[in-house]
Amino acid sequence: MISFVTYVVEAKDIYVAKTGNDKNMGTFSKPYLTISKAASVAKAGDIVCIREGVYEETLSPKYSGTKNNPIVFKSYQNEKVIITAMQSLSNWIEDGNGIWKTAIDWDLGQRNFVMHQSKVLDLARWPNNIDGERFTLNSLRNDGGSNGFTKKDAFLKDSDIPNWQWQNGGSIMFYGDRPGSGWTTWKAWIKGTSKKRVSFDVSKNYKWILEYHPPKDKGDYFLEGIKEALDYQNEWYFDSEEKILYVKLPDGKEPIDGDIKMSKRTIAVDLNNRNYIHLENLAFFGGSIEIEGIGNTLFGNTVLYGSMTRGISPDYCANTNAVYIKKNAENTIIEKCEVGFGDGTGIWDSGRTTTIKNSYIHDFGMLGSYDAPVMMRGKLGAKILNCKITNGGRDALQIVSKGAEVAYNDISFSNLISDDCGLLYTIGNNLHMKIHHNWFHDAESRGKLKKAAGIYLDNSATDVDVYRNVVWNVEWTAIQMNWNVTNVNIFNNTLVKAKGGTMGAWHKAGTKFSNVKIWNNITDVEASDKSGNQESEFTWEPQADKQNNIITKLGFLDYSDNNYQLSEISLAKDAGKFVPKFTDDFIGTKPDLGAYEFGEEPWIPGVDWDITNGPRGICYGLPGESCYQ
């Protein structure tokens, strides 16, 4: 006789409230005081219901859920729950010259981050950040310096540098923009100061960072991090030995107790080695969310200022992410969330089969390094669906995950600091990537820089399908392809208002395109290569198979207002080539050209909720929210 044992999960609701006590039972009438207490007892199937309030702690579950019985942490009946990594400061003492100080008992190093009300304060710097914007460098141009092979005792010289002790905790930010460079910024600790010159060791894991961006070739720079530089409004300096924070507000005003907050924890949520944890309808502020496990889900959450950092790193990126999906993560879902504001990356994915959908991700990469609102560098099967992604210091979306799908997204405003990047950037062989039904628009580099592309298939990208996309208002090329591009299909796209040309390529000596098909596309201007740079800029790529493409500004519903659906009189109607799997649902005698088929219900990408009111339609009153007053 065979006996079967059935294990029943006895799920329960656990309650947390600011009026509770951790010695309570965690019931509705006798809730816990802290999320940490609830997280220490919640097991598979339990639902942790959190009452309204601000919780200064890290959400770190002790146990995992299961596929059919996840552990859920959520707000109770749409109440406003904020989990913050920040700490309010008080007890200010005048230090002179409009500077105020207070003592604290912690130090997060490069993750120290200070806000006054809704304003992010600048680490004391020279020259000053006059306009107060995070994406503008407010920098100077140096006179010269060491070459790209000098890593130890490298130097930068400039006649304007103040004679201060920059070696006492100071650092340099440098952006080299000579022809053939300009992809990234870098930072380094200053080790020595002499007249009109600072010296430093540039410790980087990738030699191209310094070799192609050396001080010798000149560029943009600023210095930061010493008390002498604390001479302008909305700046701060932290004495790590004495544990004293100094701030300077507009007009030297005394801070009101509680108005200034400083980061006290780097992590707001710790899901390392945890499976099937669901976070729903919560707000997280000032700290990162780390995910490493199977089946973890974020739904309806607001995540703000989670990747603030000074950003001195040996890598090409800051290694600081608002949401960090690690390499052992699998089947992570981020849905209907807002992830906003950070020096580093918004969502960094190193996992497998990650899905990000119906989410608003914006304003990241404020250091100008290889960070972005979304960095998809996972193993396999990433999906970016129906998202609004905007405002990146370099790229808006960088994706190299194999077998990825990028569909129905509204992506805009890349290149806010760095150059030679784009709204979507990918690189690598055997990508097997599908990019379809997206809007890519409004990419423009700062100053005299110009290499802001729409879709960027860099350095021998292979196996990519690009179809049914609309690209407009980009400063460089709508589609840029470099080196040995192979097995790329560019079908039924509308590519207009690209200042550099519809398509561009760097045909490096010894490289060539293979099996690149450009069929059924619309552009608006005939372009010839006039750039004089190593990249060529054309209407249609010369080394591609080109069929059934047209050049016209006519036949759109409203060309001037960027409505690129086809009109009744469009020459693009029934002018296309039938392409199995790509044009199967055409209407009429033949497929139409461009991204839209006349007569079909027009597709509109992006989120299905009002971003001005947040994913839940409520306002937490947090800095950075569109609804914040």
Side-chain angles (χ1 to χ4, degrees):
M1 179 178 179
I2 301 176
S3 63
F4 295 91
V5 178
T6 301
Y7 293 92
V8 179
V9 176
E10 295 181 358
K12 61 183 181 295
D13 290 351
I14 300 171
Y15 291 88
V16 178
K18 299 300 291 184
T19 57
N21 189 308
D22 283 349
K23 295 181 180 180
N24 286 343
M25 298 299 293
T27 61
F28 181 81
S29 59
K30 293 186 177 182
Y32 294 132
L33 174 64
T34 67
I35 297 171
S36 297
K37 175 61 178 180
S40 71
V41 299
K43 296 184 179 180
D46 290 347
I47 299 175
V48 178
C49 303
I50 309 170
R51 303 300 303 272
E52 185 162 336
V54 177
Y55 295 82
E56 297 177 340
E57 52 183 309
T58 296
L59 194 165
S60 181
K62 183 176 181 180
Y63 304 102
S64 290
T66 65
K67 184 175 183 179
N68 295 323
N69 293 283
I71 301 175
V72 179
F73 293 83
K74 69 176 194 176
S75 65
Y76 175 75
Q77 293 189 353
N78 216 36
E79 293 183 356
K80 299 177 184 180
V81 176
I82 301 168
I83 299 174
T84 181
M86 309 294 285
Q87 178 70 47
S88 298
L89 303 181
S90 57
N91 301 319
W92 295 95
I93 300 172
E94 190 171 7
D95 192 60
N97 297 319
I99 297 171
W100 297 81
K101 65 183 179 180
T102 190
I104 61 175
D105 60 2
W106 70 88
D107 181 4
L108 301 184
Q110 293 199 54
R111 295 294 301 274
N112 286 330
F113 157 51
V114 182
M115 295 195 77
H116 175 235
Q117 297 176 344
S118 63
K119 179 69 176 178
V120 176
L121 302 190
D122 292 311
L123 176 60
R125 51 166 284 173
W126 177 90
N128 295 314
N129 184 14
I130 299 298
D131 62 10
E133 295 294 330
R134 302 287 294 174
F135 279 118
T136 57
L137 294 182
N138 283 281
S139 55
L140 291 180
R141 178 58 55 105
N142 68 309
D143 296 335
S146 54
N147 61 36
F149 302 97
T150 304
K151 298 179 181 180
K152 186 175 178 57
D153 295 320
F155 66 93
L156 176 144
K157 58 183 181 179
D158 185 49
S159 59
D160 295 316
I161 296 175
N163 189 25
W164 297 336
Q165 300 302 304
W166 291 103
Q167 69 272 22
N168 294 336
S171 59
I172 179 172
M173 189 290 308
F174 185 77
Y175 174 83
D177 64 351
R178 67 170 173 81
S181 66
W183 327 311
T184 188
T185 63
W186 54 261
K187 282 189 167 186
W189 295 107
I190 296 172
K191 61 185 292 188
T193 304
S194 58
K195 187 176 181 180
K196 312 303 182 185
R197 166 177 166 149
V198 290
S199 62
F200 37 84
D201 294 339
V202 185
S203 177
K204 300 296 179 184
N205 293 332
Y206 302 87
K207 64 180 182 179
W208 53 264
I209 296 174
L210 181 61
E211 287 183 9
Y212 286 91
H213 307 89
K216 177 179 180 294
D217 291 345
K218 302 182 182 180
D220 303 325
Y221 82 98
F222 62 78
L223 311 179
E224 62 183 350
I226 61 173
K227 191 179 179 185
E228 294 96 316
L230 183 59
D231 60 356
Y232 191 70
Q233 65 181 23
N234 296 321
E235 290 187 337
W236 64 274
Y237 165 75
F238 180 64
D239 186 325
S240 59
E241 293 186 1
E242 299 293 331
K243 295 288 194 301
I244 296 176
L245 176 69
Y246 298 83
V247 301
K248 187 177 179 71
L249 300 182
D251 301 321
K253 290 183 179 179
E254 179 181 359
I256 297 173
D257 285 353
D259 271 6
I260 290 183
K261 296 178 175 62
M262 184 174 180
S263 54
K264 191 172 184 179
R265 291 164 293 279
T266 60
I267 299 176
V269 179
D270 183 354
L271 301 185
N272 287 293
N273 300 312
R274 295 293 178 266
N275 305 321
Y276 301 106
I277 306 294
H278 292 192
L279 309 181
E280 300 179 5
N281 300 329
L282 304 168
F284 302 95
F285 193 87
S288 301
I289 296 175
E290 295 191 355
I291 300 172
E292 188 172 33
I294 300 172
N296 294 301
T297 297
L298 308 183
F299 180 85
N301 300 296
T302 296
V303 184
L304 301 176
Y305 291 101
S307 65
M308 302 303 291
T309 179
R310 192 166 177 175
I312 303 170
S313 165
D315 290 325
Y316 51 75
C317 58
N319 289 320
T320 305
N321 314 296
V323 180
Y324 184 18
I325 304 168
K326 298 185 177 181
K327 64 180 181 179
N328 291 327
E330 187 172 341
N331 297 334
T332 304
I333 297 175
I334 299 174
E335 182 175 1
K336 201 178 181 182
C337 291
E338 177 179 0
V339 183
F341 304 106
D343 295 320
T345 283
I347 301 174
W348 186 295
D349 172 42
S350 296
R352 180 185 294 270
T353 56
T354 297
T355 298
I356 305 171
K357 59 184 177 181
N358 199 22
S359 291
Y360 174 38
I361 309 146
H362 61 97
D363 294 279
F364 286 96
M366 295 177 184
L367 297 170
S369 56
Y370 269 67
D371 289 287
V374 182
M375 293 283 287
M376 303 301 291
R377 290 177 163 264
K379 300 173 184 176
L380 184 69
K383 294 182 182 294
I384 315 292
L385 309 173
N386 297 98
C387 292
K388 180 176 177 62
I389 303 171
T390 189
N391 291 349
R394 214 190 98 87
D395 308 300
L397 165 63
Q398 186 175 133
I399 180 165
V400 299
S401 302
K402 309 292 186 184
E405 181 181 13
V406 181
Y408 295 97
N409 302 288
D410 180 357
I411 302 179
S412 60
F413 295 103
S414 61
N415 295 67
L416 296 182
I417 294 178
S418 297
D419 200 31
D420 197 3
C421 39
L423 295 165
L424 182 151
Y425 178 94
T426 189
I427 186 172
N429 301 136
N430 304 313
L431 290 169
H432 299 287
M433 184 182 298
K434 296 184 182 300
I435 304 168
H436 65 94
H437 294 89
N438 302 284
W439 287 351
F440 298 101
H441 59 98
D442 297 299
E444 182 177 357
S445 293
R446 62 185 174 85
K448 296 181 180 179
L449 308 177
K450 59 156 286 185
K451 292 184 179 179
I455 301 170
Y456 200 148
L457 312 181
D458 201 9
N459 296 3
S460 305
T462 71
D463 301 284
V464 183
D465 293 332
V466 180
Y467 59 98
R468 299 287 184 188
N469 302 285
V470 185
V471 183
W472 75 90
N473 283 352
V474 296
E475 192 173 33
W476 194 20
T477 54
I479 298 179
Q480 180 70 26
M481 298 177 282
N482 293 341
W483 298 6
N484 294 303
V485 176
T486 305
N487 299 334
V488 170
N489 295 316
I490 301 175
F491 298 152
N492 288 91
N493 300 282
T494 300
L495 312 169
V496 294
K497 299 180 182 177
K499 296 178 183 178
T502 303
M503 294 186 177
W506 177 11
H507 291 295
K508 185 179 180 181
T511 67
K512 66 176 182 179
F513 285 13
S514 301
N515 194 31
V516 176
K517 299 173 183 175
I518 301 174
W519 300 349
N520 294 350
N521 301 283
I522 304 175
T523 193
D524 56 346
V525 176
E526 182 79 40
S528 58
D529 184 29
K530 299 178 182 178
S531 67
N533 296 322
Q534 62 187 10
E535 295 90 357
S536 300
E537 298 162 0
F538 302 100
T539 306
W540 311 115
E541 165 53 41
Q543 293 188 13
D545 174 13
K546 299 171 286 295
Q547 299 183 37
N548 299 72
N549 305 295
I550 63 169
I551 304 171
T552 182
K553 295 182 180 179
L554 305 175
F556 299 114
L557 285 186
D558 195 336
Y559 176 86
S560 62
D561 199 34
N562 302 314
N563 184 341
Y564 300 108
Q565 298 172 49
L566 301 181
S567 70
E568 179 73 37
I569 62 171
S570 175
L571 296 177
K573 289 175 57 182
D574 298 333
K577 174 184 177 67
F578 177 71
V579 188
K581 298 182 181 180
F582 293 93
T583 61
D584 290 348
D585 297 330
F586 72 87
I587 300 171
T589 59
K590 289 192 298 184
D592 298 342
L593 306 181
Y596 291 101
E597 180 77 12
F598 183 81
E600 72 174 1
E601 184 71 22
W603 53 270
I604 299 176
V607 300
D608 65 4
W609 45 277
D610 183 358
I611 63 171
T612 62
N613 292 323
R616 298 176 60 201
I618 65 172
C619 188
Y620 290 98
L622 289 171
E625 285 185 283
S626 299
C627 60
Y628 179 80
Q629 298 296 326

